[in-house]
Amino acid sequence: MTSVSDSISKTQDELERLVGDLRSLLASKDFDSVPQIKQLRQRLDDGIDTVRDTAVRAAQDAAVQAREAARAADRYAHDEPWRVATAAVAVGALVGFLLARR
């Protein structure tokens, strides 16, 4: 799960960096003479907030789904231990066979 958390954290950091860059660009004093820039700044802030909320919600949903999948796999392994063991042996035998052919 830490790799999922790390990916989410990195994505959030990149999004924050992009937001900072855009805000810095639009905050430039050179644009103060353009009347539409204030509206553009507000629309950008609103859009960024929406994207940030959506990204956070999607990351949380993905984490929940990953936890549910792990629980389902755990339940299956406890309910059907022989099937899991047989599958593990079969996969191990196949990998061993493929490595032996090299």
Side-chain angles (χ1 to χ4, degrees), residues 1 41 45 99:
M1 271 300 234
R41 286 176 184 156
D45 284 341
L99 290 175

Side-chain angles (χ1 to χ4, degrees), residues 49-87:
D49 290 340
T50 301
V51 168
R52 183 182 299 134
D53 293 343
T54 302
V56 167
R57 205 171 311 118
Q60 290 170 344
D61 290 346
V64 167
Q65 288 176 351
R67 276 197 240 48
E68 288 174 359
R71 284 187 196 117
D74 185 55
R75 277 193 306 271
Y76 182 77
H78 282 91
D79 293 344
E80 303 287 341
W82 289 107
R83 283 190 179 182
V84 173
T86 302

Side-chain angles (χ1 to χ4, degrees), residues 17-93:
R17 210 170 315 127
L18 177 62
V19 168
D21 291 346
L22 285 172
R23 284 187 175 151
S24 297
L25 178 64
L26 288 176
S28 173
K29 296 296 181 191
D30 298 337
F31 293 125
D32 285 344
S33 62
V34 181
Q36 291 86 4
I37 291 296
K38 186 173 184 176
Q39 292 173 345
L40 180 61
R41 286 176 184 156
Q42 184 60 43
R43 286 179 46 207
L44 179 64
D45 284 341
D46 293 344
I48 288 170
D49 290 340
T50 301
V51 168
R52 183 182 299 134
D53 293 343
T54 302
V56 167
R57 205 171 311 118
Q60 290 170 344
D61 290 346
V64 167
Q65 288 176 351
R67 276 197 240 48
E68 288 174 359
R71 284 187 196 117
D74 185 55
R75 277 193 306 271
Y76 182 77
H78 282 91
D79 293 344
E80 303 287 341
W82 289 107
R83 283 190 179 182
V84 173
T86 302
V89 168
V91 169

Side-chain angles (χ1 to χ4, degrees), residues 87-101:
V89 168
V91 169
L94 178 63
V95 169
F97 175 73
L98 292 174
L99 290 175
R101 290 188 63 187

